[in-house]
Amino acid sequence: MLEQVHRMRSSEDFRVTVRRGVKVAQPTLVIHVLPGDGGVTSVGLVVSKSVGSAVTRNRVKRRLRHLMRDRLSDVPSGSRIVVRALSPAKDSSSTTLADDLDVALARAGAR
């Protein structure tokens, strides 16, 4: 599970990251990365109702939190990352989500 200190909670942090960050789209997700200058890296997740029922959305969120936890050491410290799940994420395997996340982070320059 992603530690609480790394979870983005403020709507202003989400807004700034989405507006100013580098956007990269993949079939199952879209990420926005705002490079940092040190400090604590924070990750925010957006999983809308278009992904599915509450049970499905929570499952997708848990999988994405787990995947991001494993990748925090590869991201420059102080970065802010917003991961938005798309509708195909509900039917995707964890391997597919991981591959899409790795490609997106690499394209955004966060790896």
Side-chain angles (χ1 to χ4, degrees):
M1 196 55 81
L2 190 63
E3 292 182 30
Q4 200 161 10
V5 70
H6 294 293
R7 293 188 190 180
M8 191 181 300
R9 301 227 183 253
S10 164
S11 63
E12 183 62 24
D13 288 344
F14 275 89
R15 189 175 308 120
V16 169
T17 304
V18 168
R19 288 186 180 167
R20 295 185 187 164
V22 177
K23 177 182 174 182
V24 178
Q26 289 294 304
T28 59
L29 52 86
V30 175
I31 68 165
H32 300 268
V33 178
L34 189 61
D37 55 356
V40 177
T41 301
S42 58
V43 177
L45 300 175
V46 178
V47 184
S48 70
K49 286 186 178 182
S50 68
V51 174
S53 67
V55 173
T56 303
R57 293 192 308 268
N58 286 328
R59 185 181 324 119
V60 170
K61 282 188 272 189
R62 281 192 307 270
R63 289 165 53 192
L64 288 172
R65 274 196 299 265
H66 179 77
L67 292 170
M68 280 307 302
R69 180 194 66 184
D70 295 340
R71 286 154 181 79
L72 277 180
S73 60
D74 299 336
V75 176
S77 63
S79 297
R80 287 194 266 178
I81 302 169
V82 172
V83 180
R84 183 168 50 96
L86 300 176
S87 187
K90 66 182 170 194
D91 300 321
S92 299
S93 67
S94 291
T95 306
T96 303
L97 282 175
D99 292 343
D100 285 352
L101 187 59
D102 288 338
V103 169
L105 287 171
R107 285 188 184 165
R111 287 193 101 180

